[in-house]
Amino acid sequence: MWFQKELRLRARSRGFHLVTSEIIEQIPELSRYSIGIMNLFIQHSSASLTINENADPTVRQDFESFFNHAVPEDEPYYRHVYEGSDDLPAHLKSSLLGCYLNIPITRGRLNLGTWQGIYLCEHRNNGGSRSIIVTLNGE
């Protein structure tokens, strides 16, 4: 059985945000699947998705610090600077982290680990709301 829909995540500030609940609340169809896989695809080139620690918020703060250090703004060799100093670094961070996730479904629920959650990685200072295509496949 296949199912697909578009979700909207509310606008957030730059950083790494735990969005597991916001996503699950928009997919009541998940309960129909005893076994399967969920694919999440973010339709943006300046934000990304990842899975990591869901309990301690300092992990998300450390992620933001690390990526800002690894991919700094205002490098003199950047050519794509039309939309601001945060734009090209946002594209690079998005490529490093990725635009999709695959998560197993077991007995109508996402089969994440105990301490795992879905992050929206917002790499722009003012990214706005984000669109995610969710695709479910299973039985």
Side-chain angles (χ1 to χ4, degrees):
M1 173 171 56
W2 287 90
F3 174 81
Q4 188 172 77
K5 74 190 277 187
E6 180 177 343
L7 311 179
R8 295 294 291 179
L9 299 180
R10 65 178 174 79
R12 289 179 166 77
S13 61
R14 181 168 160 171
F16 289 74
H17 305 278
L18 190 61
V19 294
T20 312
S21 295
E22 185 176 354
I23 289 171
I24 291 172
E25 288 168 3
Q26 295 184 62
I27 316 170
E29 299 84 2
L30 190 61
S31 65
R32 298 181 198 157
Y33 292 80
S34 60
I35 187 171
I37 193 85
M38 178 179 75
N39 175 272
L40 297 174
F41 177 80
I42 191 164
Q43 294 184 303
H44 303 277
S45 61
S46 58
S48 53
L49 298 169
T50 195
I51 294 174
N52 217 291
E53 165 81 48
N54 68 358
D56 184 353
T58 63
V59 172
R60 296 188 300 277
Q61 295 165 0
D62 289 342
F63 263 60
E64 178 67 10
S65 296
F66 171 82
F67 279 96
N68 288 337
H69 178 76
V71 186
E73 295 181 13
D74 298 317
E75 289 295 334
Y77 53 86
Y78 290 167
R79 297 180 63 171
H80 180 77
V81 295
Y82 312 113
E83 298 179 44
S85 62
D86 65 331
D87 189 41
L88 181 64
H91 294 315
L92 295 171
K93 293 171 188 177
S94 176
S95 287
L96 289 170
L97 285 161
C99 58
Y100 70 91
L101 299 173
N102 289 311
I103 303 170
I105 301 167
T106 305
R107 293 184 296 278
R109 299 178 59 160
L110 297 183
N111 199 343
L112 292 165
T114 302
W115 305 110
Q116 289 183 318
I118 302 168
Y119 288 12
L120 167 65
C121 314
E122 178 54 70
H123 306 303
R124 294 299 308 267
N125 293 331
N126 299 297
S129 65
R130 297 300 189 171
S131 299
I132 294 180
I133 301 299
V134 59
T135 304
L136 306 177
N137 184 20
E139 48 188 60

